[in-house]
Amino acid sequence: MLVLLPPSEGKAAGPERGEPVEPEALSLPALTAARETVLNELTALCAADPDKARTILGLGERLAGEITKNAALRTAPAAPAGEVYTGVLYDALGLGTLEPAARRRAGESLLIFSGLWGALRVTDRIPSYRLGAGVRLPALGGLPAYWRRPLAEALEPAAEADGGPLLDLRSAAYRGMWKPTGELAARTVTVRVLHAPTRTVVSHFNKATKGKVVRELLSAGELPGTLPELTAALRDLGHTVERPAGDDRQLDIVVDQV
């Protein structure tokens, strides 16, 4: 099974010392050239014209330090992606506190989507950066469109080799970077988190629930091999799971907390 995750807007500061990112050493090496292209444009833009970069990236004045950080991405110390990404979903997922077997499964099954890197394993070493998928870089245009072909070429073989379901927990901007097609689409399911009893979509607790669900699946043992097994596993973990009528590619998890 593969779990498709969004990144977090907030990121850990990273170590003060250490080796910088090596794009050619990241997983999914078919993405190396595309990663280098985005990295080159982002660092050049932030180094040459910080004010323009801040406008393009949609950052306020108080986040001007993010531009300085982006300009130095080639030399900044890197850390595992699972430690760099923070926020509600990643706090609930708690990668650092997983048991060794669950952590191994996380390294094999989690894919984090990124406007800069395309997609990453949690073990890939990257620096802290700022680049959302909704950004349009001057030379490359919109990032979702830019990444579609490279990600399809890299991820379709990986997903086919995995053979299991794809649990897609990405937000809309990151879903636009790669949409499984054909047989892979039939193995893909998205998740909504709904509030009982009104069945309205929740916001903050949506991310926390998704992080908790992934943690529980990783900790429970061998990951489900089919979509029916995934539904059964979530119910065995105590979740109220519903399948919307006429949509076999969506799961609704119903919660009491919002």
Side-chain angles (χ1 to χ4, degrees):
M1 185 174 90
L2 294 177
V3 182
L4 313 182
L5 296 174
S8 60
E9 187 172 292
K11 298 173 184 68
E16 293 184 2
R17 295 184 178 85
E19 294 299 315
V21 64
E22 298 180 30
E24 68 279 4
L26 299 176
S27 59
L28 301 167
L31 297 175
T32 299
R35 288 165 172 157
E36 290 278 10
T37 299
V38 182
L39 182 59
N40 286 339
E41 180 167 1
L42 180 63
T43 54
L45 170 67
C46 292
D49 194 336
D51 289 336
K52 180 180 179 181
R54 192 159 53 81
T55 299
I56 289 173
L57 299 185
L59 303 178
E61 290 186 10
R62 66 183 183 85
L63 294 175
E66 298 291 289
I67 303 302
T68 304
K69 184 167 65 178
N70 278 352
L73 289 176
R74 288 283 187 183
T75 57
E83 298 175 13
V84 172
Y85 292 111
T86 60
V88 175
L89 187 152
Y90 289 92
D91 286 347
L93 174 53
L95 288 167
T97 60
L98 289 172
E99 295 295 325
R103 196 174 302 177
R104 174 183 55 78
R105 285 188 283 272
E108 296 170 349
S109 64
L110 304 188
L111 285 173
I112 304 173
F113 282 70
S114 161
L116 175 54
W117 308 110
L120 298 163
R121 303 284 188 182
V122 296
T123 51
D124 284 327
R125 296 180 65 260
I126 59 170
S128 178
Y129 68 95
R130 191 64 171 253
L131 182 67
V135 169
R136 294 183 61 86
L137 291 174
L140 300 182
L143 291 173
Y146 170 81
W147 279 112
R148 278 177 202 138
R149 178 177 292 181
L151 282 171
E153 292 173 352
L155 294 183
E156 286 175 7
E160 288 168 359
D162 177 83
L166 281 75
L167 180 59
D168 191 349
L169 303 180
R170 297 174 295 168
S171 53
Y174 294 94
R175 287 198 301 271
M177 292 171 60
W178 179 58
K179 297 180 180 179
T181 60
E183 189 267 339
L184 291 181
R187 290 199 265 126
T188 301
V189 64
T190 60
V191 171
R192 291 190 309 180
V193 180
L194 304 181
H195 179 218
T198 60
R199 298 306 192 264
T200 53
V201 177
V202 302
S203 53
H204 172 85
F205 204 68
N206 167 60
K207 295 179 180 180
T209 299
K210 289 177 178 177
K212 177 184 176 183
V213 163
V214 175
R215 181 182 179 88
E216 290 173 346
L217 288 170
L218 293 170
S219 300
E222 184 177 350
L223 293 171
T226 66
L227 289 179
E229 289 178 5
L230 173 59
T231 302
L234 292 173
R235 288 174 174 153
D236 288 345
L237 289 167
H239 296 284
T240 299
V241 180
E242 299 176 349
R243 303 296 297 266
D247 188 351
D248 58 0
R249 294 183 55 191
Q250 181 175 301
L251 292 178
D252 290 343
I253 297 179
V254 184
V255 299
D256 295 321
Q257 291 178 274
V258 293

